[in-house]
């Protein structure tokens, strides 16, 4: 008997950054992200429990990808209690990303959330459960995704999600993300994210190295306190569209803090490129001149996420084309937007 499941799951972009972890994929601070749409992974998983030969085969864009297997095997080892059939199954994973693999965009959030969805769905099939997914089901998927990649826990919910316990949000948890879409104004759900690809090289610092770096950093405790403070402030200001100046201030401070932290260690990293700084400066001048609500955020890399509401899409896209594409590798810009979360493929 072979079971199969296929899901499309999106990437996400953090507004308050997860940077620092402990134990089995537990965050040092709460984080909050927009769920994206165009940047997603399509994945199909096929499982034959009790196959003659148990094993894992991973394909990406139809090609065998043995280099992905170690990370997935580690992930499976964390799921041994939850999915005992995994130890005796032949598993095949096929996936494609809509965004270029080498664009420096984190693919772990979309890929690991898609994998979590497929595995949970297959587990339901094996157990003969045909119920519609409810709140507990999605929390469990988020918990599973977290074990694959922390940020993946947030990709399973529409519009916006937060992960990590903070006293300001009693239902928040270190184990799984919670949906936040119901608490944010429609203005924020309309947000665009134009991703300016300054460099399409592989990241110079892996997330694993980056999180470990925080353990040695004298500023770490202050940073974690700052994340708690920022998440409470951001949650409040995103309830309406009236406090967009505060939204911009928090989001840009979070992005630059992430990079400042990496520059402040005993063996520092500079993850920005000259083009990253140039774009930020051009944006600050443009915002000063036009008063438009547009801001940047950054991942742990040089590419710039330009965030702005739908109602200013025309003029901001024109300005990106006229003034910013020159800083992008091969003129590459990916236009994404806040999205509705994962969907099950037919
Ligand atoms: C800078 O989720 O990639 O994008 O849990 O080790 O897989 P692992 O880390 P990962 O870290 C993401 C870091 C970040 C900020 C964020 O998405 O919150």
């Amino acid at each position: 008997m072979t079971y199969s499941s296929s899901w499309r799951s999106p990437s996400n972009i953090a507004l308050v950054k997860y940077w620092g972890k402990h134990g089995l994929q537990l965050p040092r601070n709460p984080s909050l992200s927009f769920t994206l749409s165009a940047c997603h992974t399509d994945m199909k998983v096929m499982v034959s429990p009790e196959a003659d030969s148990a094993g894992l085969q991973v394909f990406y864009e139809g090609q065998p990808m043995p280099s992905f297997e170690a990370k997935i095997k580690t992930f499976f080892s964390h799921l041994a209690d939850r999915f005992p059939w995994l130890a005796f199954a032949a598993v095949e994973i096929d996936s494609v990303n809509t965004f270029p693999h080498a664009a420096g965009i984190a693919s772990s959030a979309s890929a690991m959330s898609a994998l979590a969805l497929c595995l949970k769905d297959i587990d339901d099939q094996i157990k003969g459960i045909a119920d519609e997914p409810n709140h507990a089901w999605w929390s469990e998927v988020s918990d599973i995704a977290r074990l694959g990649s922390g940020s993946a826990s947030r990709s399973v919910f529409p519009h916006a999600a937060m992960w990590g316990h903070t006293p300001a949000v009693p239902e928040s948890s270190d184990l799984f993300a919670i949906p936040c879409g119901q608490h944010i104004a429609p203005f924020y759900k309309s947000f665009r994210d134009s991703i300016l690809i300054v460099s399409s090289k592989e990241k110079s610092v892996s997330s694993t190295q980056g999180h470990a770096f925080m353990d040695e950093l004298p500023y770490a405790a202050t940073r974690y306190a700052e994340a708690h403070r920022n998440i409470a402030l951001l949650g409040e200001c995103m309830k309406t569209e009236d406090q967009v100046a505060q939204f911009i201030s928090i989001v840009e401070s979070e992005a630059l803090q992430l990079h400042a932290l990496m520059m402040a260690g005993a063996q520092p990293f500079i993850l920005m490129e000259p083009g990253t700084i140039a774009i930020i400066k051009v944006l600050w001048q443009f915002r000063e001149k036009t008063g438009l609500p547009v801001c940047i955020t950054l991942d742990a890399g040089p590419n710039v996420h330009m965030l702005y509401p739908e109602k200013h899409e025309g003029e901001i896209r024109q300005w990106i084309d006229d003034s910013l594409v020159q800083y992008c590798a091969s003129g590459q810009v990916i236009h994404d937007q806040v999205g509705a979360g994962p969907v099950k493929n037919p």
Side-chain angles (χ1 to χ4, degrees), residues 12-19 21 25 31-33 71 106 108-109 112 146 148-152 154 163 203 206-209 211 258 298-301:
N12 67 75
I13 179 66
L15 305 174
V16 174
K17 308 290 178 183
Y18 149 54
W19 203 237
K21 65 178 175 181
Q25 291 283 97
S31 57
L32 173 70
S33 55
K71 187 166 182 175
S108 63
M112 286 299 177
R146 167 187 63 88
S149 179
S151 55
R154 300 184 309 239
W163 168 48
K203 285 189 192 173
S206 70
S207 298
T208 308
Q209 282 172 297
H211 292 295
L258 173 71
L298 305 165
D299 259 337

Side-chain angles (χ1 to χ4, degrees), residues 277-296:
I277 311 260
I279 290 169
I280 295 171
K281 291 197 160 182
V282 172
L283 158 69
W284 285 352
Q285 283 163 5
F286 175 76
R287 197 166 64 213
E288 180 76 34
K289 199 171 83 192
T290 62
L292 289 174
V294 50
C295 65
I296 60 100

Side-chain angles (χ1 to χ4, degrees), residues 30-329:
S31 57
L32 173 70
S33 55
F34 275 145
T35 303
L36 296 179
S37 170
C39 291
H40 59 249
T41 297
D42 268 312
M43 184 176 283
K44 181 173 185 188
V45 178
M46 275 162 293
V47 170
S48 309
E50 297 172 28
D52 292 341
S53 54
L56 174 66
Q57 280 187 299
V58 183
F59 296 87
Y60 178 73
E61 290 183 345
Q63 300 298 318
M65 278 288 164
S67 59
F68 290 0
E69 282 171 20
K71 187 166 182 175
I72 294 172
K73 280 184 179 157
T74 307
F75 176 46
F76 283 4
S77 71
H78 299 323
L79 298 173
D81 289 346
R82 207 181 296 241
F83 303 140
W85 46 264
L86 263 180
F88 310 101
V91 179
E92 184 184 314
I93 299 171
D94 296 84
S95 71
V96 287
N97 291 342
T98 46
F99 45 100
H101 182 55
I105 297 177
S107 57
S108 63
S110 56
M112 286 299 177
S113 54
L115 184 51
L117 284 155
C118 292
L119 293 175
K120 174 76 178 145
D121 185 17
I122 287 172
D123 187 57
D124 284 354
Q125 294 174 36
I126 291 171
K127 290 177 176 155
I129 297 170
D131 304 345
E132 274 299 300
N134 57 14
H135 181 75
W137 193 92
W138 286 103
S139 298
E140 195 182 349
V141 168
S142 174
D143 187 358
I144 296 164
R146 167 187 63 88
L147 294 169
S149 179
S151 55
S153 66
R154 300 184 309 239
S155 269
V156 305
F157 296 111
H159 310 301
M162 75 159 284
W163 168 48
H165 181 69
T166 190
V169 184
E171 66 275 26
S172 59
S173 168
D174 283 352
L175 299 179
F176 48 82
I178 56 172
C180 300
Q182 69 279 29
H183 301 302
I184 65 173
F187 172 72
Y188 288 107
K189 292 183 194 171
S190 85
F191 257 55
R192 289 355 195 188
D193 177 6
S194 293
I195 309 167
L196 283 71
I197 309 298
V198 173
S199 165
S200 51
K201 292 204 197 99
E202 284 283 318
K203 285 189 192 173
S204 57
V205 180
S206 70
S207 298
T208 308
Q209 282 172 297
H211 292 295
F213 185 95
M214 288 301 286
D215 291 338
E216 308 298 323
L217 203 69
Y219 309 104
T222 312
R223 159 63 198 155
Y224 301 141
E226 193 67 358
H228 281 273
R229 202 175 72 88
N230 280 342
I231 220 155
L233 289 171
L234 201 62
E236 234 358 84
C237 90
M238 288 175 78
K239 285 181 181 164
T240 68
E241 65 176 86
D242 307 339
Q243 297 182 63
V244 72
Q246 184 165 25
F247 171 86
I248 289 172
S249 155
I250 296 169
V251 169
E252 290 192 343
S253 168
E254 274 288 321
L256 295 174
Q257 264 180 53
L258 173 71
H259 285 254
L261 290 165
M262 301 304 285
M263 286 191 246
Q267 286 177 313
F269 294 97
I270 299 181
L271 302 177
M272 290 187 269
E273 295 289 337
T276 316
I277 311 260
I279 290 169
I280 295 171
K281 291 197 160 182
V282 172
L283 158 69
W284 285 352
Q285 283 163 5
F286 175 76
R287 197 166 64 213
E288 180 76 34
K289 199 171 83 192
T290 62
L292 289 174
V294 50
C295 65
I296 60 100
T297 188
L298 305 165
D299 259 337
N303 300 328
V304 181
H305 290 248
M306 195 67 72
L307 304 174
Y308 51 92
E310 180 187 19
K311 63 182 169 192
H312 298 299
E313 186 169 26
E315 55 215 298
I316 290 173
R317 291 256 313 238
Q318 188 62 54
W319 163 70
I320 291 173
D321 287 348
D322 295 345
S323 309
L324 299 179
V325 164
Q326 58 178 307
Y327 301 109
C328 299

